[in-house]
Amino acid sequence: MTFRTNLTAFCFILLTTVAQADIVTPKHNAVASAHPLATKAGLEILQAGGNAFDAAVTVASVLGVVEPYSAGIGGGGFWMLHQAKNNKTLMIDAREKAPAAATRDMFLNKKGAVDRDLAINTALSAGIPGQAAAMAHLAEHYGTLPLGKTLAAAIHYADTGFPANKVYLQLAKVRHSVLQRYPASKRLFLLDGAEMDIGTLIRQPGLADTLQALAKDGFAGFYKGDVAKRLVKGVQAYGGIWTEQDLADYTVVERDPIRFNYQGATIWSAPPPSSGGVALQQMFGMMSQFKYSDMNEADKTHLLIEVMRRAYRDRAEYLGDSDFVKIPLNRITSEEYLQDLSDSISMAHATPSSSLGLPKQVGSGTHTTHFSIIDKQGNQVAATLSINLPFGNGVTIEGTGVLLNNEMDDFSAKPGSPNAYGLIGSEANAIEPGKRPLSSMTPTFMEFGPKDNRQLAVIGTPGGSRIITMVFLGLLEALDQKGIQSWVDRPRFHHQFAPDVVQYEDDAFDPKLKAALEKRGHTLKSVGREYGDMHTVRWYQKNGEVEAASDKRRLGYAEISP
Ligand code: DON
């Protein structure tokens, strides 16, 4: 480490120590999530004396009911937590695990090609879910209320129904043919073909019973006993390979977040098996070699594209489940390494991805969910949860109401063969029994701002492989001291190494900027629609004020308690 970096680190410690002495706890509770019913239920739990971790269980469980297409107890996710009383920041890794009978080539057909339908639309594509275990873990170790209370709202909406909204109708249409294949899904989510409109009630009584079992018996209510037996029987009847042992063996893992500094800010984000934190650290690390804030718009955009390209290259090459593969984390996040990477950036020309080696192809996602919470004690939760594609693999197990994930498709089923997002991975992300598939989910905290106005952001979004660059762009808005709504609303663009194109929302570049980027050799490709659904909260630590914002692109809802 050079003298300069030592000095920077010293100044930084001084700055945050001074700031910590002045912290004023939040004056309000704040919740931002993808659905008003979930946000409101979370705030009610907070008002009733629960903390942010209790509210997280409530928000996640309600989202699992009212957004059956995004995340639920048939899926998994990552929960970043900050516990104020002991200043502890950690991540609960509740990512799905490959069943014990999983094999490397399980999605290959006789010709050795990946059977895409098998990999996303069947019981075989479901990993062992982590969501219910995460809720039980949160309740046991971090919350103050029993699951009977925190799951009550979800049980109510599962039992009595929730009104379909336009996102529901749109995604049920996208996955119509798959949902139709499985009788319980057809009945529950397509109402057996009856006409559905905005406001049509969707009831899930089986799911209400399963949530009751979780409320009553905690982990065992889902992973052992009746529910577990039904799940295994149902999965096997559809050709899947789960066993009761797989369920009983599932555990969440508490992991240390990726933590790094960028220009006086501290960022905590998801470690492997997510690629989010490492990619953020690499992108910010490369940026710190440039005078970003002095640049014009074209230079800034070019630089962001180039750092995205390089981080996604490393994602493809090095990242996987760190419990199974050795990730050279220290090396690929070291200052020397990131300096080398940034030295390869030309400000005049786009670097062809092929010149960086490893021709890999990557794509984008369509559903998952994120919420952000802060409570009056200063506890924080950033949770990104998923069943992968909209309505997961489309399989609902009779007698449980559990709609299964297709997260096994986040593994690299065959070197060089793209998954649903066009992602191609390396050996590091090959299928192995008990392993967790590599993810892009990036729940994140950032402490930032000038010494006399330190702020704390809780942020994240769904969006498949584009999640990481969305969070990156959102954090940059925050670092620029932009209003919180612009963190989530700002137009987005994305580069993921391969395909070697800049993907963008139509309003991201004006004609002049487009021309400037094309002149440098970038190939621009409109995504043709808006993407992402970001939800965030901010706490001003100098006076305890809080703010919350939900993405304008969807139907999310952010609220602050009085
Ligand atoms: O873990 C992942 O990276 C993916 N399963 C996330 C999928 C996703 O965000 C789809 N959403 N829009």
Side-chain angles (χ1 to χ4, degrees):
M1 202 189 258
T2 61
F3 171 71
R4 203 174 129 256
T5 50
N6 266 331
L7 192 68
T8 317
F10 174 73
C11 292
F12 177 77
I13 289 163
L14 197 69
L15 194 116
T16 46
T17 317
V18 171
Q20 274 196 349
D22 295 336
I23 287 179
V24 177
T25 49
K27 286 186 183 150
H28 311 274
N29 299 310
V31 181
S33 88
H35 200 292
L37 293 176
T39 297
K40 285 186 184 300
L43 279 171
E44 273 165 27
I45 282 292
L46 287 160
Q47 295 299 90
N51 63 17
F53 313 116
D54 295 312
V57 172
T58 300
V59 174
S61 59
V62 173
L63 288 172
V65 173
V66 303
E67 282 197 313
Y69 44 79
S70 78
I73 54 173
F78 299 123
W79 310 62
M80 287 283 299
L81 312 183
H82 177 78
Q83 203 177 25
K85 71 175 181 210
N86 51 13
N87 200 22
K88 178 171 149 190
T89 305
L90 69 143
M91 187 186 82
I92 297 181
D93 171 358
R95 182 70 161 164
E96 295 87 342
K97 295 181 78 160
T103 58
R104 197 186 167 86
D105 298 338
M106 63 192 274
F107 296 116
L108 303 190
N109 62 20
K110 286 192 190 115
K111 291 186 181 143
V114 177
D115 180 334
R116 294 297 314 145
D117 188 67
L118 198 64
I120 59 174
N121 297 327
T122 67
L124 211 53
S125 63
I128 303 300
Q131 185 84 298
M135 295 191 205
H137 187 84
L138 272 163
E140 189 178 337
H141 300 282
Y142 297 95
T144 57
L145 299 175
L147 285 169
K149 281 219 163 66
T150 51
L151 294 178
I155 293 168
H156 169 75
Y157 290 121
D159 203 23
T160 60
F162 71 91
N165 60 24
K166 72 173 189 217
V167 176
Y168 181 94
L169 296 175
Q170 181 199 338
L171 294 174
K173 208 163 153 193
V174 169
R175 296 289 277 159
H176 189 269
S177 65
V178 179
L179 291 169
Q180 244 188 343
R181 278 191 213 173
Y182 301 103
S185 296
K186 186 176 170 196
R187 191 176 70 241
L188 292 165
F189 302 120
L190 301 177
L191 304 186
D192 268 333
E195 196 151 320
M196 284 195 287
D197 215 334
I198 288 179
T200 299
L201 271 195
I202 309 294
R203 291 189 59 227
Q204 301 166 82
L207 180 59
D209 291 344
T210 299
L211 288 166
Q212 287 279 15
L214 178 63
K216 184 167 156 286
D217 296 328
F219 179 91
F222 185 89
Y223 294 88
K224 294 176 179 173
D226 270 3
V227 171
K229 279 193 177 35
R230 282 191 200 149
L231 286 171
V232 168
K233 196 165 155 231
V235 164
Q236 292 186 357
Y238 284 128
I241 52 174
W242 290 14
T243 63
E244 287 182 40
Q245 197 62 48
D246 284 326
L247 286 170
D249 284 349
Y250 185 88
T251 51
V252 298
V253 184
E254 288 199 356
R255 300 191 191 273
D256 287 332
I258 296 288
R259 179 195 159 137
F260 61 95
N261 301 326
Y262 174 73
Q263 295 187 346
T266 304
I267 294 159
W268 295 261
S269 192
S274 171
S275 54
V278 175
L280 282 181
Q281 182 171 11
Q282 288 196 320
M283 292 191 289
F284 278 114
M286 283 182 255
M287 279 186 52
S288 57
Q289 309 294 331
F290 295 83
K291 291 205 160 53
Y292 177 74
S293 50
D294 296 345
M295 289 179 176
N296 64 36
E297 189 68 7
D299 281 349
K300 277 185 172 167
T301 311
H302 172 77
L303 177 62
L304 295 179
I305 293 166
E306 291 302 323
V307 302
M308 289 173 182
R309 180 199 307 280
R310 284 159 178 78
Y312 275 77
R313 177 194 172 279
D314 278 8
R315 179 197 195 278
E317 177 155 1
Y318 297 116
L319 300 189
D321 180 351
S322 51
D323 291 345
F324 281 73
V325 290
K326 188 140 183 46
I327 301 175
L329 211 53
N330 288 339
R331 181 166 76 81
I332 64 176
T333 57
S334 69
E335 213 180 40
E336 296 73 24
Y337 180 83
L338 295 174
Q339 168 112 44
D340 280 353
L341 278 189
S342 57
D343 285 349
S344 72
I345 295 175
S346 152
M347 286 308 291
H349 303 287
T351 310
S353 289
S354 56
S355 75
L356 297 171
L358 274 167
K360 293 181 198 294
Q361 208 195 332
V362 194
S364 92
T366 41
H367 243 284
T368 288
T369 199
H370 173 86
F371 62 84
S372 296
I373 301 181
I374 197 154
D375 70 17
K376 288 186 190 172
Q377 297 156 51
N379 296 313
Q380 305 146 28
V381 180
T384 312
L385 312 172
S386 183
I387 51 173
N388 201 21
L389 295 182
F391 290 93
N393 62 10
V395 179
T396 304
I397 300 300
E398 282 298 351
T400 67
V402 177
L403 174 60
L404 302 180
N405 69 83
N406 52 6
E407 223 76 64
M408 290 291 285
D409 190 51
D410 278 348
F411 279 119
S412 167
K414 182 188 173 184
S417 182
N419 75 357
Y421 311 118
L423 278 164
I424 300 180
S426 68
E427 192 58 35
N429 192 30
I431 304 174
E432 287 181 64
K435 190 176 176 184
R436 291 170 151 99
L438 183 61
S439 171
S440 303
M441 293 187 284
T442 312
T444 298
F445 302 142
M446 179 168 75
E447 194 189 304
F448 66 106
K451 161 165 128 227
D452 59 352
N453 187 15
R454 293 297 279 174
Q455 298 148 58
L456 191 288
V458 181
I459 194 166
T461 180
S465 58
R466 298 190 193 108
I467 290 175
I468 310 168
T469 56
M470 284 189 257
V471 171
F472 183 48
L473 295 175
L475 293 175
L476 287 168
E477 292 292 290
L479 287 165
D480 270 356
Q481 289 296 323
K482 299 267 179 62
I484 191 168
Q485 194 63 43
S486 77
W487 305 359
V488 298
D489 285 352
R490 68 148 293 159
R492 294 169 176 150
F493 60 91
H494 172 76
H495 196 295
Q496 53 186 37
F497 178 67
D500 193 348
V501 294
V502 181
Q503 305 174 31
Y504 66 96
E505 290 183 324
D506 281 337
D507 54 350
F509 306 139
D510 63 27
K512 200 169 136 224
L513 182 53
K514 261 190 202 161
L517 293 170
E518 279 169 345
K519 195 159 161 234
R520 288 178 206 204
H522 293 289
T523 305
L524 308 182
K525 187 166 180 250
S526 164
V527 173
R529 61 176 175 85
E530 297 176 319
Y531 62 86
D533 190 13
M534 185 172 276
H535 304 282
T536 186
V537 302
R538 159 157 57 184
W539 163 26
Y540 290 92
Q541 298 183 324
K542 66 171 180 189
N543 60 11
E545 289 304 334
V546 294
E547 298 173 333
S550 280
D551 206 311
K552 66 170 182 190
R553 295 167 182 78
R554 292 271 184 166
L555 304 173
Y557 180 67
E559 191 176 322
I560 292 172
S561 67

